């Protein structure tokens, strides 16, 4: 049996990054920048105040205290969005609101809480000494014009889109999203509706389509193929011709009707490519059929995931998701975040030479992470996967004694 690390290295060695594409910034969430972005202007574009208060000359407030305030003449008012037209001279101040441009001559802002207005005398009492620059946001303090604001390889998050908008950048060059085909297999699998004898509904396809979308790919529904070699072969060939990567589920173990293995191998032979079938030393998700097959313009990785829904889910997480992300320009090939959690009830297991990936609920209890099994651990019990926030990674041994710490790969927010 292959170790998890070796199996991951094997599937990752076959990956190449997709081409760049120019798309609207507002469609680019989660995408990876293909080129550096250089700021053509400064953000903020002008010096402005970070506080509601009074723009003034710091030197005028020397020695000011609550008992011994300094009186300044208020010569005007500046709201955010206003253009300053008055210049401040010694002994003067301008009432100013957060975001309003600094008037000429002023070098500091005194927050309104340290002032007392004297309207009768058109003046304000300043109750503390300002330093030059106090509460002034300089032009370019966020982004300086001419600098690389985001380097190629940056994953665009909401804050990145906000910065791009502040620079009036509406189009971005990113690595394009992978089109990922998802095919279910099995004579017993139906999409929906009443169940005939021996039939069950397809849970893998909707689950995998959603997982692919969550990873930032474009999901392509390839439907359900019955356990028939020719039909499975035809469906996989269509997938290779229309997608950048394929996920199939079922028909990869050692049953009599496990035609996915046969079909992938045949396609790899016909088109050119590599095929391999592995037993990985993990539980669940032991069998893994993997191929790269020459598609229309590039090599298409095909993941033959196991049929049991929990196995399918876990196999996708461990093998397919990192590869799909690498195709889309992510350079981080690691798994999801891995954390240490106390297991108050323990996570005991039997010795079998495999890495166990137990589905666990994870919660933050008094600032520390705790985990416990999220139900029955059989590989068909998908409700236990749904209830889990993580996979406890239990290497071969006795597992984790009650109160000891487990290593957990987080699958979602807590
Ligand atoms: P297989 O690897 O094809 O023998 O499938 C293993 C188990 O997973 C069997 O019990 C199948 O009925 C089940 N299974 C396979 N595909 C799906 C699917 N798409 N949705 C739900 N269960 C499935
Ligand atoms: Mg099957």
């Amino acid at each position: 049996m292959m170790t998890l690390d070796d199996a991951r290295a094997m599937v990752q060695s076959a990956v190449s990054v997709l081409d760049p594409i120019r798309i609207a910034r507002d469609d680019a969430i989660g995408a990876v920048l293909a080129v550096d972005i250089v700021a053509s202007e400064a953000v903020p574009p002008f010096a402005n105040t970070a506080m509601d208060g009074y723009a003034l000359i710091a030197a005028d407030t020397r020695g000011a205290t609550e008992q011994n305030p300094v009186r300044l003449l208020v010569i005007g008012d500046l709201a955010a969005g206003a253009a300053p037209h008055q210049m401040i001279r010694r002994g003067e101040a301008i009432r100013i609101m957060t975001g309003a441009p600094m008037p000429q001559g002023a070098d500091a802002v005194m927050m309104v809480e340290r002032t007392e207005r004297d309207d009768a005398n058109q003046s304000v009492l300043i109750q503390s000494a300002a330093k030059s620059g106090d509460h002034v946001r300089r032009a370019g303090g966020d982004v300086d014009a001419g600098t690389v604001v985001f380097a190629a390889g940056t994953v665009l998050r909401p804050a990145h889109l906000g910065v791009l908008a502040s620079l009036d950048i509406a189009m971005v060059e990113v690595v394009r999203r992978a089109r990922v085909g998802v095919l279910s297999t099995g004579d017993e699998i139906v999409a929906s509706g009443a169940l005939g004898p021996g039939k069950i509904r397809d849970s893998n396809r909707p689950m995998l389509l959603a997982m692919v979308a969550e990873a930032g790919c474009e999901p392509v529904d390839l439907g359900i193929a019955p356990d028939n070699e020719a039909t499975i072969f035809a469906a996989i060939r269509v997938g290779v011709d229309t997608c950048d990567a394929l996920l199939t589920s079922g028909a990869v173990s050692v049953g009599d009707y496990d035609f996915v293995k046969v079909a992938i191998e045949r396609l790899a032979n016909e088109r050119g490519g590599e095929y391999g079938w592995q037993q990985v030393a993990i539980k669940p998700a032991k069998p893994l059929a993997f191929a790269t097959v020459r598609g229309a313009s590039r090599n298409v990785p095909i993941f033959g995931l196991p049929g049991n829904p929990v196995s399918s889910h876990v196999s996708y997480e461990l093998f397919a998701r990192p590869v799909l992300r690498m195709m889309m320009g992510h350079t981080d090939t690691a798994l999801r975040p891995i954390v240490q959690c106390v297991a108050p009830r323990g996570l005991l297991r039997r010795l079998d030479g495999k890495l166990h990936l137990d589905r666990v609920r994870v919660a933050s209890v008094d600032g520390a992470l705790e985990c416990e099994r999220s139900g029955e651990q059989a590989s068909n019990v998908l409700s236990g996967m749904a209830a889990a926030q993580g996979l406890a990674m239990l290497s071969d041994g006795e597992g984790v004694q009650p109160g000891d710490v487990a290593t957990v790969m987080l699958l979602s927010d807590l």
Side-chain angles (χ1 to χ4, degrees), residues 183-186 188-189 200-206 224 227 249-255 257-258 287 305-309 312 379-380 382:
L183 175 73
S184 285
T185 68
E188 75 280 32
I189 309 296
I200 60 167
R201 296 190 190 94
D202 184 1
S203 46
N204 290 347
R205 199 167 35 107
I224 304 169
D227 287 317
S249 68
V252 289
S253 43
V254 286
Y257 301 98
D258 288 340
L305 306 175
N308 274 306
S312 232
S379 60
N380 62 319
L382 193 53

Side-chain angles (χ1 to χ4, degrees), residues 9 16 21 30 33 51 56 121 166 169 253 265 274 303 318 353 369 399:
S16 60
I21 186 175
L33 279 179
M51 288 276 181
L56 43 72
N121 296 301
S166 71
I169 294 172
S253 43
E265 183 167 20
E274 310 262 342
F303 293 87
L318 298 178
L369 293 178

Side-chain angles (χ1 to χ4, degrees), residues 299-320:
N299 288 337
V300 177
I302 306 177
F303 293 87
L305 306 175
N308 274 306
V310 173
S311 305
S312 232
H313 193 296
V314 169
S315 190
Y316 169 86
E317 278 294 339
L318 298 178
F319 303 114

Side-chain angles (χ1 to χ4, degrees), residues 30-387:
V32 176
L33 279 179
V35 293
D36 291 351
I37 298 228
V38 177
S40 59
E41 20 180 293
V43 182
F46 49 84
N48 65 92
T49 173
M51 288 276 181
D52 294 323
Y54 289 85
L56 43 72
I57 297 166
D60 281 346
T61 65
R62 191 166 304 139
T65 61
E66 213 174 327
Q67 290 72 36
N68 194 13
V70 166
R71 182 181 295 271
L72 299 175
L73 184 66
V74 178
I75 61 163
D77 214 279
L78 272 174
H85 54 272
Q86 282 169 298
M87 156 132 193
I88 290 187
R89 282 177 296 260
R90 298 301 299 257
E92 294 176 348
I94 286 181
R95 174 81 173 113
I96 194 166
M97 268 34 95
T98 303
M102 286 296 287
Q104 246 198 316
D107 68 345
V109 171
M110 179 56 60
M111 61 170 90
V112 71
E113 293 85 346
R114 305 246 170 92
T115 67
E116 197 185 322
R117 188 69 179 248
D118 180 1
D119 276 325
N121 296 301
Q122 287 171 27
S123 63
V124 60
L125 296 169
I126 305 294
Q127 299 167 335
S128 112
K131 286 196 309 300
S132 182
D134 275 0
H135 308 307
V136 178
R137 305 194 280 215
R138 72 169 177 88
D142 185 353
V143 179
D144 268 319
T147 57
V148 173
V149 57
F150 302 132
T154 301
V155 184
L156 295 176
R157 303 278 166 230
H160 295 96
L161 302 194
V163 171
L164 294 173
S166 71
L167 291 163
D168 202 24
I169 294 172
M171 301 293 290
V172 285
E173 196 147 325
V174 296
V175 181
R176 74 177 172 81
R177 296 182 192 283
R179 280 171 59 81
V180 182
V182 177
L183 175 73
S184 285
T185 68
D187 280 348
E188 75 280 32
I189 309 296
V190 298
S192 63
L195 293 174
K199 307 290 181 188
I200 60 167
R201 296 190 190 94
D202 184 1
S203 46
N204 290 347
R205 199 167 35 107
M207 173 178 79
L208 291 167
L209 287 167
M211 292 174 92
V212 159
E214 185 266 358
C217 309
E218 185 188 328
V220 179
D221 188 349
L222 298 174
I224 304 169
D227 287 317
N228 168 294
E229 193 183 326
T231 319
I232 289 180
F233 181 80
I236 291 175
R237 191 175 48 196
V238 167
V240 164
D241 288 336
T242 53
C243 300
D244 301 305
L246 282 195
L247 308 174
T248 68
S249 68
V252 289
S253 43
V254 286
D256 288 346
Y257 301 98
D258 288 340
F259 295 123
V260 166
K261 290 195 291 186
V262 186
I264 300 178
E265 183 167 20
R266 199 177 122 203
L267 199 60
N269 287 338
E270 278 181 20
R271 292 283 182 92
E274 310 262 342
Y275 165 77
W277 181 78
Q278 265 65 236
Q279 304 251 47
V280 188
I282 56 175
K283 184 183 165 75
K286 185 170 66 161
L288 173 69
F290 176 73
T292 49
V293 171
R294 201 140 309 143
S297 62
R298 60 169 37 76
N299 288 337
V300 177
I302 306 177
F303 293 87
L305 306 175
N308 274 306
V310 173
S311 305
S312 232
H313 193 296
V314 169
S315 190
Y316 169 86
E317 278 294 339
L318 298 178
F319 303 114
R321 186 175 182 272
V323 164
L324 298 176
R325 284 163 54 85
M326 287 166 75
M327 289 173 75
M328 295 186 296
H330 291 261
T331 48
D332 179 8
T333 63
L335 296 168
R336 300 224 198 208
I338 290 179
V339 295
Q340 302 298 314
C341 302
V342 175
R345 297 188 197 182
L347 295 163
L348 301 182
R349 50 160 292 179
R350 67 186 163 77
L351 286 166
D352 57 7
K354 294 184 205 158
L355 173 73
H356 284 214
L357 297 141
D358 282 19
R359 280 67 74 202
V360 290
R361 290 180 211 276
V362 182
S364 176
V365 179
D366 300 329
L369 293 178
E370 289 190 358
C371 66
E372 63 171 358
R373 284 199 177 99
S374 63
E376 177 62 46
Q377 294 293 304
S379 60
N380 62 319
V381 179
L382 193 53
S383 55
M385 182 93 246

